Coordinates of all heavy atoms in Angstrom, one line a residue:
M24 N 23.5 35.5 -47.4 CA 23.0 36.3 -46.3 C 24.1 36.3 -45.2 O 24.7 35.3 -44.8 CB 21.8 35.6 -45.8 CG 21.1 36.3 -44.6 SD 19.8 35.4 -43.8 CE 18.6 35.2 -45.1
E25 N 24.3 37.5 -44.6 CA 25.3 37.7 -43.6 C 24.7 38.2 -42.3 O 23.7 39.0 -42.4 CB 26.5 38.6 -44.1 CG 27.3 37.9 -45.2 CD 28.7 38.5 -45.3 OE1 29.1 39.2 -44.4 OE2 29.3 38.2 -46.3
N26 N 25.3 37.9 -41.2 CA 24.7 38.4 -39.9 C 25.7 39.4 -39.3 O 25.5 39.7 -38.1 CB 24.4 37.2 -39.0 CG 25.6 36.4 -38.6 OD1 26.7 36.8 -38.9 ND2 25.4 35.3 -37.9
G27 N 26.6 39.9 -40.0 CA 27.6 40.9 -39.4 C 28.8 40.2 -38.8 O 29.8 40.8 -38.7
A28 N 28.7 39.0 -38.4 CA 29.9 38.3 -37.8 C 30.3 37.2 -38.7 O 31.1 36.3 -38.3 CB 29.5 37.7 -36.5
G29 N 29.9 37.2 -40.0 CA 30.3 36.1 -40.9 C 29.0 35.6 -41.5 O 28.0 36.1 -41.4
D30 N 29.2 34.5 -42.2 CA 28.0 33.8 -42.9 C 27.1 33.2 -41.9 O 27.5 32.7 -40.9 CB 28.5 32.7 -43.8 CG 29.3 33.3 -45.0 OD1 29.1 34.5 -45.3 OD2 30.1 32.5 -45.6
A31 N 25.8 33.4 -42.1 CA 24.8 32.8 -41.3 C 24.8 31.3 -41.4 O 25.1 30.8 -42.5 CB 23.4 33.3 -41.7
K32 N 24.6 30.6 -40.3 CA 24.6 29.1 -40.4 C 23.2 28.6 -40.1 O 22.5 29.1 -39.4 CB 25.6 28.6 -39.3 CG 27.0 28.8 -39.6 CD 27.8 28.0 -38.6 CE 29.3 28.2 -38.9 NZ 30.1 27.4 -38.0
D33 N 23.0 27.5 -40.8 CA 21.7 26.7 -40.6 C 21.9 26.1 -39.2 O 22.9 25.5 -38.9 CB 21.6 25.7 -41.7 CG 20.4 24.8 -41.5 OD1 20.4 24.0 -40.6 OD2 19.5 25.0 -42.3
P34 N 20.8 26.2 -38.3 CA 20.9 25.6 -37.0 C 21.3 24.1 -37.0 O 22.0 23.7 -36.2 CB 19.6 25.9 -36.4 CG 19.0 27.0 -37.1 CD 19.6 26.9 -38.5
S35 N 20.7 23.4 -37.9 CA 20.9 21.9 -37.9 C 22.4 21.7 -38.3 O 23.0 20.7 -37.8 CB 20.0 21.2 -38.8 OG 20.1 21.6 -40.1
G36 N 22.9 22.5 -39.2 CA 24.4 22.3 -39.6 C 25.3 22.6 -38.4 O 26.2 21.9 -38.2
F37 N 24.9 23.7 -37.7 CA 25.7 24.1 -36.5 C 25.7 22.9 -35.5 O 26.8 22.5 -34.9 CB 25.2 25.3 -35.8 CG 25.7 25.6 -34.4 CD1 27.0 26.0 -34.2 CD2 24.8 25.4 -33.4 CE1 27.4 26.2 -32.9 CE2 25.3 25.6 -32.1 CZ 26.6 26.1 -31.9
L38 N 24.5 22.4 -35.2 CA 24.4 21.3 -34.2 C 25.2 20.0 -34.6 O 25.8 19.4 -33.8 CB 22.9 21.0 -33.9 CG 22.2 22.1 -33.2 CD1 20.7 21.8 -33.2 CD2 22.7 22.3 -31.8
S39 N 25.1 19.7 -35.9 CA 25.9 18.5 -36.4 C 27.4 18.8 -36.3 O 28.1 17.8 -36.0 CB 25.5 18.1 -37.8 OG 25.8 19.1 -38.7
E40 N 27.8 20.0 -36.4 CA 29.3 20.3 -36.3 C 29.8 20.2 -34.9 O 30.9 19.9 -34.7 CB 29.5 21.8 -36.8 CG 29.5 22.0 -38.3 CD 29.7 23.4 -38.7 OE1 30.1 24.2 -37.8 OE2 29.4 23.7 -39.8
I41 N 28.9 20.4 -33.9 CA 29.4 20.4 -32.5 C 29.1 19.1 -31.8 O 29.3 19.0 -30.6 CB 28.8 21.6 -31.7 CG1 27.3 21.6 -31.6 CG2 29.3 22.9 -32.3 CD1 26.7 22.6 -30.6
L42 N 28.6 18.1 -32.5 CA 28.4 16.8 -31.9 C 29.7 16.3 -31.3 O 30.8 16.4 -32.0 CB 27.9 15.8 -32.9 CG 26.4 15.9 -33.2 CD1 26.0 14.9 -34.3 CD2 25.5 15.7 -31.9
G43 N 29.8 15.8 -30.1 CA 31.0 15.4 -29.4 C 31.7 16.5 -28.7 O 32.7 16.2 -28.0
A44 N 31.3 17.7 -28.9 CA 32.0 18.9 -28.3 C 31.3 19.2 -26.9 O 30.2 18.8 -26.6 CB 31.9 20.1 -29.2
S45 N 32.1 20.0 -26.1 CA 31.5 20.5 -24.9 C 30.5 21.6 -25.2 O 30.8 22.5 -26.0 CB 32.6 21.0 -24.0 OG 33.5 19.9 -23.6
V46 N 29.4 21.6 -24.5 CA 28.3 22.6 -24.8 C 27.7 23.0 -23.5 O 27.9 22.4 -22.4 CB 27.2 22.0 -25.7 CG1 27.7 21.7 -27.1 CG2 26.5 20.8 -25.0
T47 N 27.1 24.2 -23.5 CA 26.3 24.7 -22.5 C 24.8 24.7 -22.9 O 24.6 25.3 -24.0 CB 26.7 26.1 -22.1 OG1 28.1 26.1 -21.6 CG2 25.8 26.7 -21.0
V48 N 23.9 24.2 -22.1 CA 22.5 24.2 -22.5 C 21.8 24.9 -21.3 O 21.9 24.5 -20.2 CB 21.9 22.7 -22.6 CG1 20.5 22.8 -22.9 CG2 22.7 22.0 -23.6
K49 N 21.1 26.0 -21.7 CA 20.3 26.7 -20.7 C 18.9 26.4 -20.9 O 18.3 26.5 -22.0 CB 20.6 28.3 -20.8 CG 19.9 29.0 -19.7 CD 20.3 30.5 -19.7 CE 19.6 31.2 -18.5 NZ 20.0 32.6 -18.4
L50 N 18.2 26.1 -19.8 CA 16.8 25.8 -19.8 C 16.0 27.1 -19.5 O 16.5 28.1 -19.0 CB 16.4 24.8 -18.7 CG 17.2 23.5 -18.8 CD1 16.6 22.5 -17.8 CD2 17.2 22.9 -20.2
N51 N 14.7 27.0 -19.9 CA 13.8 28.1 -19.6 C 13.7 28.5 -18.1 O 13.5 29.6 -17.8 CB 12.4 27.8 -20.2 CG 12.4 27.6 -21.7 OD1 13.1 28.3 -22.4 ND2 11.5 26.7 -22.1
S52 N 13.9 27.5 -17.3 CA 13.9 27.7 -15.8 C 15.1 28.4 -15.3 O 15.2 28.8 -14.1 CB 13.8 26.4 -15.1 OG 15.0 25.6 -15.3
G53 N 16.2 28.6 -16.2 CA 17.4 29.2 -15.7 C 18.5 28.2 -15.4 O 19.7 28.6 -15.2
V54 N 18.2 26.9 -15.2 CA 19.1 25.9 -14.9 C 20.0 25.7 -16.1 O 19.6 25.8 -17.3 CB 18.4 24.6 -14.5 CG1 19.4 23.4 -14.4 CG2 17.6 24.7 -13.3
I55 N 21.3 25.5 -15.8 CA 22.3 25.3 -16.9 C 22.9 23.9 -16.8 O 23.3 23.4 -15.7 CB 23.4 26.4 -16.8 CG1 22.8 27.7 -17.1 CG2 24.5 26.1 -17.8 CD1 23.7 28.9 -17.0
Y56 N 23.0 23.2 -18.0 CA 23.7 22.0 -18.0 C 24.9 22.1 -18.9 O 24.9 22.8 -20.0 CB 22.8 20.9 -18.6 CG 21.7 20.5 -17.7 CD1 20.4 21.1 -17.8 CD2 21.9 19.5 -16.7 CE1 19.4 20.7 -17.0 CE2 20.9 19.2 -15.9 CZ 19.6 19.7 -16.0 OH 18.6 19.4 -15.2
K57 N 26.1 21.6 -18.5 CA 27.3 21.6 -19.2 C 27.7 20.1 -19.4 O 27.7 19.4 -18.4 CB 28.4 22.4 -18.5 CG 28.1 23.9 -18.5 CD 29.2 24.6 -17.8 CE 28.9 26.1 -17.8 NZ 29.6 26.8 -18.9
G58 N 28.1 19.8 -20.6 CA 28.5 18.4 -20.9 C 28.9 18.2 -22.4 O 29.0 19.2 -23.1
E59 N 29.1 17.0 -22.7 CA 29.5 16.7 -24.1 C 28.2 16.3 -24.9 O 27.5 15.3 -24.5 CB 30.5 15.5 -24.1 CG 31.0 15.1 -25.4 CD 32.0 14.0 -25.3 OE1 33.0 14.1 -24.6 OE2 31.8 13.0 -26.0
L60 N 28.0 17.0 -26.0 CA 26.8 16.8 -26.8 C 26.9 15.4 -27.5 O 27.8 15.2 -28.3 CB 26.6 17.9 -27.8 CG 25.4 17.8 -28.7 CD1 24.1 17.9 -27.9 CD2 25.4 18.9 -29.7
Q61 N 26.0 14.5 -27.3 CA 26.0 13.2 -28.0 C 25.0 13.1 -29.1 O 25.2 12.5 -30.1 CB 25.7 12.1 -26.9 CG 26.9 12.0 -26.0 CD 28.2 11.7 -26.7 OE1 28.3 10.8 -27.4 NE2 29.2 12.6 -26.4
S62 N 23.8 13.8 -28.9 CA 22.8 13.8 -29.9 C 21.8 14.9 -29.7 O 21.6 15.4 -28.6 CB 22.1 12.4 -30.0 OG 21.3 12.2 -28.9
V63 N 21.2 15.3 -30.8 CA 20.1 16.3 -30.8 C 19.2 15.9 -31.9 O 19.6 15.5 -33.0 CB 20.7 17.7 -30.8 CG1 21.4 18.0 -32.1 CG2 19.6 18.7 -30.6
D64 N 17.9 16.1 -31.7 CA 16.9 15.8 -32.8 C 16.2 17.0 -33.2 O 16.5 18.1 -32.7 CB 16.0 14.6 -32.3 CG 15.1 15.0 -31.2 OD1 14.9 16.2 -30.9 OD2 14.4 14.1 -30.7
G65 N 15.2 16.8 -34.1 CA 14.5 18.0 -34.6 C 13.6 18.7 -33.6 O 13.2 19.8 -33.9
Y66 N 13.4 18.1 -32.5 CA 12.6 18.7 -31.4 C 13.5 19.3 -30.4 O 13.0 19.8 -29.3 CB 11.7 17.6 -30.7 CG 10.7 17.1 -31.6 CD1 10.9 15.8 -32.2 CD2 9.5 17.8 -32.0 CE1 9.9 15.3 -33.1 CE2 8.6 17.2 -32.8 CZ 8.8 16.0 -33.4 OH 7.8 15.5 -34.2
M67 N 14.8 19.4 -30.6 CA 15.8 19.9 -29.7 C 16.0 19.1 -28.5 O 16.5 19.5 -27.4 CB 15.5 21.4 -29.3 CG 15.9 22.3 -30.5 SD 17.6 22.4 -30.9 CE 18.3 23.1 -29.4
N68 N 15.5 17.8 -28.5 CA 15.8 16.9 -27.4 C 17.3 16.6 -27.4 O 17.9 16.4 -28.5 CB 15.1 15.5 -27.6 CG 13.6 15.7 -27.4 OD1 13.1 16.4 -26.6 ND2 12.9 15.0 -28.3
I69 N 18.0 16.7 -26.3 CA 19.4 16.7 -26.2 C 19.9 15.6 -25.3 O 19.4 15.5 -24.2 CB 20.0 18.1 -25.7 CG1 19.6 19.2 -26.7 CG2 21.5 18.1 -25.5 CD1 19.8 20.6 -26.2
A70 N 20.9 14.9 -25.7 CA 21.6 13.9 -24.9 C 23.0 14.4 -24.6 O 23.7 14.7 -25.5 CB 21.6 12.5 -25.6
L71 N 23.4 14.4 -23.3 CA 24.7 14.8 -22.9 C 25.4 13.7 -22.1 O 24.8 13.0 -21.4 CB 24.6 16.1 -22.0 CG 23.9 17.3 -22.6 CD1 23.7 18.3 -21.5 CD2 24.8 17.9 -23.7
E72 N 26.7 13.7 -22.3 CA 27.6 12.8 -21.4 C 28.4 13.7 -20.5 O 28.6 14.9 -20.8 CB 28.5 12.0 -22.3 CG 27.8 10.8 -23.0 CD 28.7 9.9 -23.7 OE1 29.9 10.2 -23.8 OE2 28.3 8.8 -24.2
R73 N 28.9 13.1 -19.4 CA 29.7 13.9 -18.4 C 29.0 15.2 -18.1 O 29.6 16.3 -18.2 CB 31.1 14.1 -18.9 CG 31.9 12.8 -19.0 CD 33.3 13.0 -19.4 NE 33.5 13.1 -20.8 CZ 33.3 12.2 -21.8 NH1 33.0 11.0 -21.4 NH2 33.5 12.4 -23.0
C74 N 27.8 15.1 -17.8 CA 26.9 16.3 -17.6 C 27.0 16.9 -16.1 O 27.0 16.1 -15.2 CB 25.5 15.9 -17.9 SG 24.3 17.3 -17.8
K75 N 27.0 18.2 -16.0 CA 27.0 18.9 -14.7 C 25.8 19.8 -14.8 O 25.6 20.5 -15.8 CB 28.3 19.6 -14.5 CG 29.5 18.7 -14.3 CD 30.7 19.5 -14.1 CE 31.9 18.5 -14.0 NZ 33.1 19.1 -13.5
E76 N 25.1 19.9 -13.7 CA 23.9 20.8 -13.5 C 24.3 22.0 -12.6 O 24.8 21.8 -11.5 CB 22.7 20.0 -12.9 CG 21.5 20.9 -12.7 CD 20.4 20.1 -12.1 OE1 20.6 19.6 -10.9 OE2 19.3 20.0 -12.6
F77 N 24.0 23.2 -13.1 CA 24.3 24.4 -12.3 C 23.0 25.1 -12.1 O 22.2 25.4 -13.0 CB 25.2 25.3 -13.1 CG 26.6 24.7 -13.3 CD1 26.9 23.9 -14.3 CD2 27.6 25.0 -12.4 CE1 28.2 23.3 -14.5 CE2 28.9 24.5 -12.6 CZ 29.2 23.6 -13.6
V78 N 22.8 25.4 -10.8 CA 21.6 26.2 -10.4 C 22.1 27.4 -9.7 O 22.9 27.4 -8.8 CB 20.7 25.3 -9.4 CG1 19.5 26.1 -8.9 CG2 20.3 24.0 -10.1
N79 N 21.6 28.6 -10.2 CA 22.0 29.9 -9.6 C 23.6 30.0 -9.7 O 24.2 30.6 -8.8 CB 21.5 30.1 -8.2 CG 20.0 30.2 -8.1 OD1 19.4 30.7 -9.1 ND2 19.5 29.6 -7.1
G80 N 24.2 29.5 -10.8 CA 25.6 29.6 -11.0 C 26.5 28.7 -10.2 O 27.7 28.7 -10.3
K81 N 25.9 27.9 -9.4 CA 26.6 26.9 -8.5 C 26.4 25.5 -8.9 O 25.3 25.1 -9.3 CB 26.3 27.1 -7.1 CG 26.6 28.5 -6.5 CD 26.3 28.6 -5.1 CE 26.6 30.0 -4.6 NZ 26.3 30.2 -3.2
L82 N 27.5 24.7 -8.9 CA 27.3 23.3 -9.2 C 26.3 22.6 -8.3 O 26.5 22.7 -7.1 CB 28.7 22.6 -9.1 CG 28.7 21.1 -9.5 CD1 28.3 20.8 -10.9 CD2 30.1 20.5 -9.2
H83 N 25.3 22.0 -8.8 CA 24.3 21.4 -8.0 C 24.4 19.9 -8.0 O 24.2 19.2 -7.0 CB 22.9 21.8 -8.6 CG 21.7 21.3 -7.8 ND1 20.9 20.3 -8.2 CD2 21.2 21.7 -6.6 CE1 20.0 20.1 -7.3 NE2 20.2 20.9 -6.3
K84 N 24.7 19.3 -9.2 CA 24.7 17.8 -9.3 C 25.6 17.4 -10.5 O 25.6 18.1 -11.5 CB 23.3 17.3 -9.5 CG 23.2 15.8 -9.2 CD 21.8 15.4 -9.0 CE 21.7 13.9 -8.6 NZ 20.4 13.4 -8.3
N85 N 26.2 16.3 -10.4 CA 27.0 15.7 -11.5 C 26.1 14.5 -12.0 O 25.7 13.7 -11.2 CB 28.3 15.1 -11.1 CG 29.3 16.2 -11.0 OD1 29.5 17.0 -11.9 ND2 30.0 16.3 -9.8
Y86 N 26.0 14.4 -13.3 CA 25.3 13.2 -14.0 C 26.3 12.6 -14.9 O 27.1 13.3 -15.5 CB 24.1 13.7 -14.8 CG 23.0 14.3 -14.0 CD1 22.9 15.7 -14.0 CD2 22.1 13.6 -13.3 CE1 21.9 16.3 -13.3 CE2 21.1 14.2 -12.6 CZ 21.0 15.6 -12.6 OH 20.0 16.2 -11.9
G87 N 26.2 11.3 -15.1 CA 27.0 10.6 -16.1 C 26.4 11.0 -17.5 O 27.0 11.7 -18.3
D88 N 25.2 10.6 -17.7 CA 24.5 10.9 -18.9 C 23.2 11.6 -18.5 O 22.6 11.4 -17.5 CB 24.1 9.6 -19.6 CG 25.3 8.8 -20.1 OD1 26.3 9.4 -20.4 OD2 25.2 7.6 -20.2
A89 N 22.7 12.5 -19.4 CA 21.5 13.2 -19.1 C 20.8 13.4 -20.5 O 21.4 13.6 -21.5 CB 21.8 14.6 -18.5
F90 N 19.4 13.4 -20.4 CA 18.6 13.7 -21.5 C 17.7 14.9 -21.2 O 17.1 14.9 -20.1 CB 17.7 12.5 -21.8 CG 16.8 12.7 -23.0 CD1 17.3 12.5 -24.2 CD2 15.5 13.1 -22.8 CE1 16.4 12.6 -25.3 CE2 14.6 13.2 -23.9 CZ 15.1 13.0 -25.1
V91 N 17.8 15.9 -22.0 CA 17.0 17.1 -21.8 C 15.9 17.2 -22.9 O 16.2 17.2 -24.1 CB 17.9 18.4 -21.9 CG1 17.1 19.7 -21.6 CG2 19.0 18.3 -20.9
R92 N 14.7 17.4 -22.4 CA 13.6 17.5 -23.4 C 13.6 18.8 -24.0 O 13.8 19.9 -23.4 CB 12.3 17.3 -22.6 CG 11.1 17.2 -23.6 CD 9.9 16.7 -22.8 NE 8.7 16.9 -23.7 CZ 7.5 16.6 -23.4 NH1 7.3 16.0 -22.3 NH2 6.6 16.8 -24.3
G93 N 13.4 18.8 -25.4 CA 13.6 20.0 -26.2 C 12.8 21.2 -25.8 O 13.2 22.3 -26.0
N94 N 11.5 21.0 -25.4 CA 10.7 22.1 -25.1 C 11.1 22.9 -23.9 O 10.6 24.0 -23.6 CB 9.2 21.7 -24.9 CG 9.0 20.8 -23.7 OD1 9.9 20.1 -23.2 ND2 7.8 20.9 -23.2
N95 N 12.1 22.4 -23.1 CA 12.7 23.1 -22.0 C 13.9 23.9 -22.3 O 14.4 24.7 -21.5 CB 13.0 22.1 -20.9 CG 11.8 21.4 -20.3 OD1 10.8 22.0 -20.0 ND2 11.9 20.1 -20.2
V96 N 14.4 23.8 -23.5 CA 15.7 24.4 -23.9 C 15.5 25.8 -24.4 O 14.7 26.1 -25.3 CB 16.4 23.6 -25.0 CG1 17.6 24.3 -25.5 CG2 16.7 22.2 -24.5
M97 N 16.2 26.8 -23.7 CA 16.2 28.1 -24.2 C 17.3 28.3 -25.3 O 17.0 28.9 -26.3 CB 16.5 29.1 -23.0 CG 16.6 30.6 -23.4 SD 17.0 31.7 -22.0 CE 15.6 31.4 -21.0
Y98 N 18.5 27.8 -25.0 CA 19.6 27.8 -26.0 C 20.6 26.8 -25.7 O 20.7 26.2 -24.6 CB 20.2 29.2 -26.1 CG 21.1 29.6 -24.9 CD1 22.4 29.1 -24.7 CD2 20.6 30.6 -24.0 CE1 23.1 29.5 -23.7 CE2 21.4 31.0 -22.9 CZ 22.6 30.4 -22.8 OH 23.4 30.9 -21.7
I99 N 21.4 26.5 -26.8 CA 22.6 25.6 -26.7 C 23.7 26.4 -27.3 O 23.6 27.0 -28.4 CB 22.3 24.3 -27.3 CG1 23.5 23.4 -27.2 CG2 21.9 24.4 -28.8 CD1 23.3 21.9 -27.6
S100 N 24.9 26.3 -26.7 CA 26.1 27.0 -27.2 C 27.3 26.1 -27.1 O 27.4 25.3 -26.1 CB 26.3 28.4 -26.6 OG 26.7 28.2 -25.2
A101 N 28.2 26.2 -28.0 CA 29.4 25.4 -28.0 C 30.4 26.2 -27.0 O 30.5 27.4 -27.1 CB 30.0 25.3 -29.4
D102 N 31.0 25.4 -26.1 CA 32.0 26.0 -25.3 C 33.4 26.1 -26.0 O 33.7 25.2 -26.8 CB 32.2 25.1 -24.0 CG 31.0 25.1 -23.2 OD1 30.1 26.0 -23.3 OD2 30.8 24.2 -22.3
S103 N 34.1 27.1 -25.7 CA 35.4 27.2 -26.4 C 36.5 26.7 -25.6 O 36.5 26.3 -24.5 CB 35.7 28.6 -26.8 OG 35.1 29.6 -26.1

């Protein structure tokens, strides 16, 4: 199966490939977290290190470690 941009990836495979990488996590509220992905589970609960919180595009707060509950996650993407 192809999605036009290459082979389709299983979401769990993608997430395991980006463990330890810098990611952007957008919440349903519009708040964005950027940090290093440490873990993710089947409920999309996410643990980040060196996490920064952005509200309305502006840096709001720095966190060392952060845990985001999966039901709040709109998407997660790997930063390049």
Side-chain angles (χ1 to χ4, degrees):
M24 181 188 300
E25 293 201 15
N26 62 9
D30 293 338
K32 288 190 175 184
D33 178 288
S35 62
F37 165 73
L38 292 169
S39 65
E40 286 177 13
I41 63 170
L42 284 175
S45 294
V46 297
T47 298
V48 178
K49 185 170 184 179
L50 305 187
N51 296 325
S52 65
V54 173
I55 293 175
Y56 290 95
K57 292 179 177 265
E59 185 179 304
L60 182 64
Q61 292 305 302
S62 68
V63 64
D64 67 12
Y66 297 102
M67 285 295 292
N68 295 318
I69 297 168
L71 299 170
E72 285 186 352
R73 291 184 282 287
C74 182
K75 295 181 182 189
E76 179 183 58
F77 293 85
V78 178
N79 297 323
K81 296 181 181 177
L82 179 62
H83 184 255
K84 195 164 186 181
N85 283 308
Y86 297 101
D88 297 331
F90 181 81
V91 180
R92 188 170 169 176
N94 67 330
N95 296 312
V96 175
M97 180 182 295
Y98 70 77
I99 180 170
S100 66
D102 295 343
S103 23

